[in-house]
């Protein structure tokens, strides 16, 4: 009886049919967007650690960019990932090391995630290829590899952004040196010049490559967050979405505080608010299918800040609201109200941080006269 993933891999190398025994399927009943239950088959295995990895990847890549991933396609990608693990694992390593290599951790992407990403990119990005996990550098005194695929991810992300908008962002914040630490900016400059992490480690005084990798990732994440905050600020200044939602939330709070029979009134007020903005902006179905990392309309905000577990239920209720409105019980109405208010309050909380940060940039850099041009 096989006890570890390594045992299964060793047996597979001798007899390929072992894979048929290793792979299983778990059937789960899930509600679809019509409010009906479908039986969904998820690929599973005889190894609990691999199952945990697959569940994590299924949740993380439920959506890739603007594309919702079909369950059958996800099963196919994960099956391919498992085969790649069985074909390429180094069986000289310990069972724990093989699991770590296959699953990854907070420091590096595992083999299974690499294969999954490669499949998604081939499907949705055309010729873009992910860097292989073999194209890595080693810690100076450790066997585990530091992944450097973030450079390709950053290049891909930057390629998709509007050049003029990015230039305005750089001018708004005063250059990357203004938002990065000294170490982050130094590593970023070296990486963009084409130097390897090993070369950079020597140039910075023989520091570890692990330090270079962490600093590089931190720099990229800081740039992305600052840039998205700038884009969000531009949208807020150019549209009335923020003010609409702020007024809406304030009014709902007044209803809850001062109206005795607030439940029916609040539910109807929220329905009317969403219907008005569905006409003004985009349909609620389109907002759901085209979630982005920036919210441009009232309905975009709702879905960008709605909890994932609430989406299917909410879509079903909304699509059939005229038919089910009078039959909804008190609990359903409360849930509908809470979903909307919770999403919009979270948006206002983050929007305030964006406004405060932008205002600080304007004051610190004394660019009051340039603001209108930079956000246009």
């Amino acid at each position: 009886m096989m006890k570890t993933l390594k045992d299964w891999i060793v047996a597979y190398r001798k007899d390929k049919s072992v894979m048929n025994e290793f792979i299983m399927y778990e059937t789960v009943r899930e509600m679809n967007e019509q409010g009906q239950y479908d039986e969904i088959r998820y690929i599973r295995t005889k190894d609990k650690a691999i199952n945990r990895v697959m569940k994590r990847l299924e949740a993380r890549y439920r959506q890739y960019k603007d594309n919702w991933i079909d369950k059958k396609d996800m099963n196919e990608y994960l099956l391919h990932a498992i085969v790649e693990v069985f074909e390429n694992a180094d069986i000289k390593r310990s069972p724990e090391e093989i699991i770590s290599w296959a699953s990854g951790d907070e420091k590096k992407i595992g083999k299974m995630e690499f294969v999954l990403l490669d499949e998604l990119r081939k499907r949705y990005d055309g010729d873009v290829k992910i860097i292989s996990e073999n194209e890595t550098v080693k810690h100076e005194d450790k066997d585990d590899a530091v992944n450097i695929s973030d450079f390709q991810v950053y290049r891909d992300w930057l390629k998709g952004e509007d050049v003029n908008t990015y230039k305005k962002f750089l001018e708004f914040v005063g250059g990357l040196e203004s938002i990065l630490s000294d170490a982050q900016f130094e590593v970023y400059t070296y990486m963009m010049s084409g130097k390897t992490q090993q070369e950079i480690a020597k140039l910075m005084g023989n520091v570890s490559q692990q330090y270079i990798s962490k600093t590089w990732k931190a720099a990229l994440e800081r740039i992305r967050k600052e840039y998205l905050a700038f884009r969000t600020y531009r949208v807020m200044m150019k549209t009335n979405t923020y003010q609409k939602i702020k007024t809406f939330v304030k009014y709902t709070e007044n209803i809850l505080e001062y109206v005795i029979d607030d439940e029916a009134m609040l539910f109807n007020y929220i329905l009317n608010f969403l219907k008005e903005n569905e006409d003004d902006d985009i349909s609620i179905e389109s907002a759901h299918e085209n979630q982005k990392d920036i919210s441009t309309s009232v309905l975009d905000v709702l879905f960008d800040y709605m909890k994932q577990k609430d989406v299917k239920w909410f879509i079903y209720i909304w699509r059939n609201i005229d038919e089910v409105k009078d039959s909804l019980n008190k609990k359903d109405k409360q849930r509908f109200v809470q979903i909307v208010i919770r999403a919009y309050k979270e948006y206002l909380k983050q929007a305030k941080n964006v406004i405060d940060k932008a205002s600080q940039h304007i004051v610190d850099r004394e660019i009051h006269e340039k603001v209108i041009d930079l956000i246009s």
Side-chain angles (χ1 to χ4, degrees), residues 21 64 77 129 147 152 172 239 266 268 291 320 353:
E21 184 182 351
Y64 180 73
Y77 301 152
K129 294 182 179 179
N147 186 278
Q152 182 65 41
F172 184 80
T239 70
L266 187 57
N268 289 325
Q291 286 185 323
N320 301 280
N353 293 334

Side-chain angles (χ1 to χ4, degrees), residues 245-277:
I245 294 174
K246 188 175 181 181
T247 301
F248 163 79
V249 170
K250 182 65 177 176
Y251 192 76
T252 59
E253 290 174 343
N254 288 338
I255 293 176
L256 288 169
E257 185 173 356
Y258 298 114
V259 180
I260 296 176
D261 185 19
D262 59 9
E263 195 169 283
M265 183 177 180
L266 187 57
F267 178 72
N268 289 325
Y269 171 65
I270 290 176
L271 282 184
N272 291 333
F273 176 75
L274 294 178
K275 285 183 177 180
E276 288 171 4
N277 286 286

Side-chain angles (χ1 to χ4, degrees), residues 119-179:
E119 292 287 345
L120 291 173
R121 290 187 176 203
K122 284 188 290 187
R123 173 76 178 272
Y124 299 106
D125 297 338
D127 294 331
V128 177
K129 294 182 179 179
I130 189 169
I131 297 176
S132 165
E133 84 284 353
N134 293 322
E135 296 178 48
T136 56
V137 292
K138 298 287 184 179
H139 293 177
E140 290 176 349
D141 298 315
K142 297 181 180 180
D143 290 330
D144 50 323
V146 179
N147 186 278
I148 60 171
S149 67
D150 302 276
F151 186 76
Q152 182 65 41
V153 173
Y154 175 69
R155 290 282 198 185
D156 293 346
W157 169 73
L158 198 57
K159 189 188 302 179
E161 298 302 320
D162 177 68
V163 174
N164 188 49
T165 302
Y166 191 72
K167 285 181 179 178
K168 288 185 175 183
F169 156 69
L170 293 177
E171 185 175 353
F172 184 80
V173 298
L176 295 181
E177 63 270 26
S178 298
I179 61 174

